[in-house]
């Protein structure tokens, strides 16, 4: 505060209001503008700071904070507030997550192939599409199903993927213990599949779709035992298959959520 030349004040009192410090110099008489504001707002006035006292107790500024102009928004308190913006936001966030994980899934597949040696990655190499317990590729008619039904299938596949990716990671830790980035990508993929599956399930609940029933226990233990006894090459092929299915289902989930996302096809 800039004081005019020759101005003298007997006393300076400091208050804190709304988290900011400001000083008001006065000569013991309450300024008119302060009195008017106090009367209009119903505040009880200031307390002077006293030596040896600090904090809100000494400053007494709490009574000066006017009540909020509007009460906090509570969508449940007003039935006229539409939940549609919340649903659109949830769909858009889940769609963005699926789009990001689609890129990660492609990187995982490339990283996996890179560490398997020949003939993986060679031009013209076409590994057998081994069946995987609890999981298959999206059916040819998947895109023709209603969107809620597609999302149920997406969520079920995403729930089946984490234990399979864990099996692949453990086998790769034995075959390629120095491939730390691959092992980290496999671990991240399992965690990301769980997160995306939970987000899709939340979207289904927001849409009012029926919740899924109890799901049978995954056959990951049986798959792990099979990869150990089957030999190195079949284990590598199975891992390639699981990584490929992860990419397919994450990409399929992205496309299905795109049907619901704002700006998506009708």
């Amino acid at each position: 505060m800039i004081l005019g030349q020759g101005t003298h004040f007997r006393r300076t009192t400091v208050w804190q209001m709304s988290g900011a410090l400001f000083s008001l110099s006065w000569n013991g008489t309450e300024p008119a503008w302060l009195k008017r504001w106090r009367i209009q707002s119903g505040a009880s006035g200031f307390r002077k700071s006293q030596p040896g006292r600090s904090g809100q107790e000494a400053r007494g500024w709490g009574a000066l904070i006017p009540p909020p102009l509007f009460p906090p928004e509570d969508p449940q308190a007003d039935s006229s507030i539409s939940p549609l913006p919340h649903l659109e936001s949830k769909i858009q966030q889940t769609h963005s997550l699926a789009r990001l994980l689609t890129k990660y899934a492609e990187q995982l597949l490339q990283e996996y192939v890179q560490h398997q040696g020949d003939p993986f990655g060679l031009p013209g190499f076409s590994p057998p599409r081994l069946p995987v317990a609890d999981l298959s590729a999206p059916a040819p008619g998947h895109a023709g199903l209603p969107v809620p039904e597609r999302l149920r299938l997406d969520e079920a596949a995403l729930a089946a993927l984490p234990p399979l990716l864990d099996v692949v990671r453990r086998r790769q830790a034995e075959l390629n213990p120095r491939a730390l980035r691959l092992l980290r990508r496999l671990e991240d993929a399992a965690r990301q599949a769980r997160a995306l599956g939970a987000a899709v399930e939340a979207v289904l609940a927001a849409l009012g779709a029926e919740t899924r029933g109890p799901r049978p226990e995954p056959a990951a233990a049986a798959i792990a035992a099979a990869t150990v006894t089957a030999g190195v090459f079949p284990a590598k092929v199975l891992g390639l298959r699981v990584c490929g299915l992860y990419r397919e289902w994450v990409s399929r989930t992205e496309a299905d959520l795109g049907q619901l996302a704002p700006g998506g096809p009708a």
Side-chain angles (χ1 to χ4, degrees):
M1 180 175 182
I2 301 176
L3 302 179
Q5 185 176 5
T7 304
H8 175 70
F9 293 88
R10 299 178 184 174
R11 159 184 327 143
T12 299
T13 307
V14 179
W15 295 274
Q16 182 177 8
M17 180 174 178
S18 301
L21 286 172
F22 68 96
S23 63
L24 177 66
S25 297
W26 57 301
N27 60 3
T29 304
E30 184 181 38
W33 64 267
L34 177 58
K35 183 176 181 181
R36 287 196 301 271
W37 181 88
R38 181 171 56 79
I39 294 174
Q40 292 172 1
S41 63
S44 59
F46 294 100
R47 291 182 189 170
K48 303 188 186 90
S49 298
Q50 299 178 11
R53 301 180 64 190
S54 61
Q56 181 177 346
E57 179 183 1
R59 298 184 180 104
W61 52 268
L64 293 174
I65 301 177
L69 297 178
F70 302 98
E73 293 185 4
D74 184 0
Q76 297 180 350
D78 186 355
S79 59
S80 65
I81 298 178
S82 172
L84 187 59
H86 176 68
L87 174 59
E88 289 181 352
S89 176
K90 186 182 295 292
I91 292 171
Q92 194 166 18
Q93 291 174 1
T94 308
H95 183 236
S96 298
L97 175 61
R99 183 166 56 244
L100 178 64
L101 297 190
T102 298
K103 297 178 182 179
Y104 290 168
E106 182 64 36
Q107 294 171 0
L108 169 63
L109 187 59
Q110 293 175 2
E111 186 88 14
Y112 183 88
V113 171
Q114 177 183 344
H115 287 281
Q116 305 314 306
D118 294 340
F120 295 87
L122 293 178
F125 175 66
S126 180
R129 296 174 66 87
L130 298 178
V132 178
D134 297 333
L135 189 63
S136 60
H142 182 96
L145 297 173
V147 175
E149 181 61 26
R150 279 184 266 167
L151 291 176
R152 286 194 194 94
L153 294 173
D154 296 337
E155 189 273 330
L158 291 168
L161 276 163
L164 299 174
L165 289 164
D166 287 339
V167 169
V168 175
R169 178 181 55 81
R170 289 195 296 269
R171 195 68 172 106
Q172 285 297 305
E174 299 172 359
L175 299 174
N176 295 297
R178 296 183 179 180
L180 300 181
R181 188 168 63 178
L182 171 61
L183 299 177
R184 186 172 61 251
R185 285 188 188 276
L186 287 166
E187 184 177 7
D188 290 344
R191 183 171 59 253
Q192 291 159 357
R194 291 187 185 94
L196 181 58
V200 171
E201 190 173 9
V203 169
L204 284 168
L207 289 171
E210 296 181 3
T211 57
R212 58 178 172 84
R215 185 173 288 123
E217 291 294 325
I223 296 174
T227 58
V228 172
T229 59
V232 173
F233 184 77
K236 290 182 176 182
V237 172
L238 181 62
L240 180 65
R241 177 65 171 153
V242 170
C243 291
L245 287 171
Y246 174 63
R247 181 188 62 174
E248 289 184 59
W249 278 109
V250 171
S251 176
R252 184 68 266 173
T253 303
E254 178 193 355
D256 293 339
L257 288 167
Q259 300 288 318
L260 298 175

